Amino acid sequence: MFSFEVGSLLNIAFVLGAGLVVSIMMIWVERRFLGFFSDRLGPNRVGPFGLFQVIADAVKMLTKEDWIPPFSDKFTFVVAPMILPIVMLLSLAVIPFGPGVGVMDLNIGLLWIFAMAGLASYSTMLGGLASNNKFALLGSLRGAGQMISYEVFMGISILGIVILSDSFSLREIVEAQRDGWFVIPQFFGFIVFMVAGMAESHRWPFDLPEGEAEIISGYNTEYSGMKFGLFMIGEYIGMVVMSALIPVLFFGGWLAPFGLEFGNEIFSGLFWMGAKTTFFLLFFVLVRAALVRPRYDQLMSYGWLVMLPLSLVNLLITGAVVLYQAG
Amino acid sequence: MSTASTSLQQSMAETPAVIAELYLKFGESAFVRQHTAEGMPTLWLGREKLLEVLKFLRDDYRPRYEMLLDVTAIDERLRVHRGGQPESDFTVVYQLISYSGNCDIRLKVALKEPDLKVPTIISLWPAANWHERECWDMFGVVFDGHPNLSRIYTPPTWVGHPLRKDHPARATEMEPYRLDDDIVDTEQEAMKFKPEEWGLERKSDTSEFMFLNFGPNHPAAHGVIRFALQLDGEYVLDVVPDVGYHHRGAEKMGERQTWHTYIPYTDRIDYLGGVMNNLPYVMAVEKMAGIEVPERVKVIRVMLAEFFRICSHLLFFGTWAVDLGQLSPLFYAFVDREKAFNIIESITGGRMHPSWFRIGGVAQDLPNGWEVRVREFVDMFPKKLLEYNKMVMANTVIKQRTIGVGKMNTQDAYDWGMTGPALRATGLEWDYRKNRPYSGYENFEFEVPIAVNGDCYDRAAVRVEEMRQSCEIIRQCLENMPSGPYKSDHHLTTPPLKEDSKQDIETLINHFLSVSWGPVMEPSEVSMAIEATKGINSYYLINDGGSGSYRTRIRTPSFIHIQAIPFLSRGLMLADFTAVVATTDFVMADVDK
């Protein structure tokens, strides 16, 4: 059998390939599931079950007129959509998909993801500002505001985990869950992180920077063709990163539940990690079909007045308990 | 004897209380009374007395005339049969409605060329603003003291006033249209939004405002309407709605068409209301012709009108949820709407615009087996409504987003001319179907849903409940459908029952005339209003003895409701603004006619 080692060429190819394929297939999965949730079929024309819809979409995007508005800041306008997929792929690099599977094993993996998520907001901001469009401006301002406030307690919400596992390395965090998943001691941390994660990846119902009922398409109003496609792909990779990060932090990563391990450790790990990630990916889709978008000020006050105190109290209690146990 | 002529005789015999009171207060010499086919008190008066009389009717007379229902004008210059009315080139018509007294009054002011001036009545009813702009745009009547008497339907560069008799009705009557580069530039320049024209500041002491073009192509604008928003950050300080992108001159077309061939145009006024638009029109014509339609026709009309009310409200419901950021309800609502449309299709052959009502009846009898599909629908739909209630109306975020947002009380609703669900959401229990039953609504048992706060949530809740009531009405139609002919055997029924024309030459000639030329009736004036999907929709027809109308006035609820959007949304956030726009529930074709 293969012997995997973190950072080997095979490993990089696998993670990058799988990450990209899953992200792109999510376009189809999301549309199909949204279809089922709203009593219709979704795309089912191209290929078996409409699976090739993704290819059709890609061809459409690549062959569309690549229009750069004459009134925009052209350099920034072109660069902004590239930032998002790049930083999202970079954060995918530190996710441990299984024992020995992954691109990098950084001892500051968690911080790395935060850094990348922070950079991702530049994509939204610069894209909106460079468009020189009022709707795009409103969208990018919303994006910036949302990013700042939700990143604060997103960071705080997982400090409990860092305390418990005594590490920033995602692999060590997974290993630390051998005795029990962190979702139990860190339930509030999980809730806060989940909400903040959705907000970070601009998923419904936190897609206020795009909020199409109010500001048409927000920061990407002026984008078309593959430039728009890059925003979209970036969002989907972000969704995959978030859906993989939640199991890693709270649900034992590649560890099998109830000792249901089978066969090779790597394959078992990949299977369980894949299953957990899929669960959260589908959960994201369900949320999109079910929830209502809050108003911008409601979103903000919810963040600062509910989520931030909740995450702080969670951190305080976790720290106190750990200190007490340590004697 | 038909009801039309009875009411005419009654109105001639006695003087309504309001007229007696006005005579007493202002002297009989100040007025000239006119008799109309529907029996509405109609008085002519001089423009110098106008404000005084309107103020008296609004404030001091009991019952109060709370709402200004309509302001319009008539180009009288080519009219032959004036029937003793005062001399006039252009007549401005004001129609008031009293909810407390359940009565109407129509006031007319005669104007002679070239002095086409009347005082503005915005000080009494702010809703008069757009009505007066429309009159200026369409007829060139000047309203003295109006703050911004500018064109409303036609572009600012338009020459002439379309509803004047000397204005061409068709493009082929005009010079071929050319859009040269310099014309493009002038038109573009004219379209620019200049805040100063609307009395808006460009900046305050603390901030510089952003003026945002919300529309005419915006996902939440519900059609081609433009709102110029004055924004401070995300807060909406003021709104200037700009309508007219959808103007097709439906009233002008009424002057070219025969009474019969105008029916399909009415379908396209409120294009979500389908045959419900036919209803006030054919009822008005029937009143002029003195046709009494058979019971079966009335019930069929009610059933289809209620189906369309459900269709329209379902569309409102779905798009409202999407505007608030909930994706799925739209699709659920459309599935049900599709079912309703399938039934409509199997009955009328059309879906959105069946144009199926006829003068004196309906186009065909109900198809065999219609009961089965209708029963399926009325059994299925109330359960669906319960689901929707759980999914949308009981949703916490939806409540947070809409309760207390875009509030108005009943007095505001009177001032802004709000009718229909928007008026009932403020707590006034008044429904045309209940308070002035037409087409046999008095025989149905249903409730008029009302709410208290008049905010976005209430407006939606009233509509949801109305769907349930409509479903009940349809069930009663289903269970009590009378037998009988689907057309009246009156000679003005168009087209008449075919069987009759086979009997003798007289009916055949009638048939031939009314089909090839159009039915011809005694000159008269009539107006007929109904509780349409969005509010009070009325047709005011002036018959000068021709085969078609001399002047067709369509009072559409959406036009007036849009005017209230600035009032409702000042100080709200951008996201609330879309909630207000959604719950105003307008259709641009209904706004622009």
Side-chain angles (χ1 to χ4, degrees), chain B residues 1-12 35-40 282-293 490 521 524-528:
Chain B
M1 189 179 283
S2 63
T3 47
S5 46
T6 1
S7 61
L8 192 63
Q9 280 180 349
Q10 270 169 5
S11 67
M12 278 171 148
H35 296 286
T36 58
E38 86 286 80
M40 187 187 298
V282 294
M283 283 197 302
V285 178
E286 280 157 11
K287 205 166 248 180
M288 270 189 310
I291 301 175
E292 177 75 15
V293 296
H490 195 278
M521 288 162 266
S524 59
E525 282 182 28
V526 68
S527 79
M528 185 68 217

Side-chain angles (χ1 to χ4, degrees), chain A residues 37-40 134-135 137-138 142 204 212-216 288-298, chain B residues 211-214 218-220 234 323-328 331-332 395 398 400-401 573-576 578:
Chain A
F37 290 143
S38 52
D39 209 356
R40 59 198 166 88
K134 288 172 181 172
F135 289 104
L137 174 71
L138 283 174
R142 282 181 178 194
W204 206 283
E212 90 289 318
E214 299 130 35
I215 49 174
I216 302 191
R288 175 168 178 178
L291 292 190
V292 189
R293 191 192 296 124
R295 206 170 56 207
Y296 185 61
D297 61 327
Q298 288 171 346
Chain B
F211 290 93
L212 187 69
N213 247 330
F214 192 97
H218 190 286
E234 283 223 11
D323 284 348
L324 292 175
Q326 194 178 25
L327 281 180
S328 306
F331 296 103
Y332 298 131
N395 186 309
I398 294 247
Q400 277 176 2
R401 287 280 311 270
M573 290 194 83
L574 195 54
D576 293 332
T578 59

Side-chain angles (χ1 to χ4, degrees), chain B residues 159-172:
Chain B
V159 180
H161 300 282
L163 281 180
R164 286 190 175 197
K165 288 289 177 186
D166 47 14
H167 192 281
R170 291 195 291 197
T172 47

Side-chain angles (χ1 to χ4, degrees), chain A residues 162-182:
Chain A
V162 176
I163 293 176
L164 288 177
S165 62
D166 211 12
S167 169
F168 277 110
S169 159
L170 292 172
R171 283 176 193 279
E172 281 173 33
I173 288 175
V174 173
E175 285 301 332
Q177 297 181 64
R178 283 223 179 261
D179 304 330
W181 292 353
F182 282 155

Side-chain angles (χ1 to χ4, degrees), chain A residues 233-248:
Chain A
I233 296 292
E235 188 188 310
Y236 279 101
I237 303 175
M239 193 168 139
V240 171
V241 169
M242 209 40 81
S243 310
L245 199 58
I246 292 170
V248 166

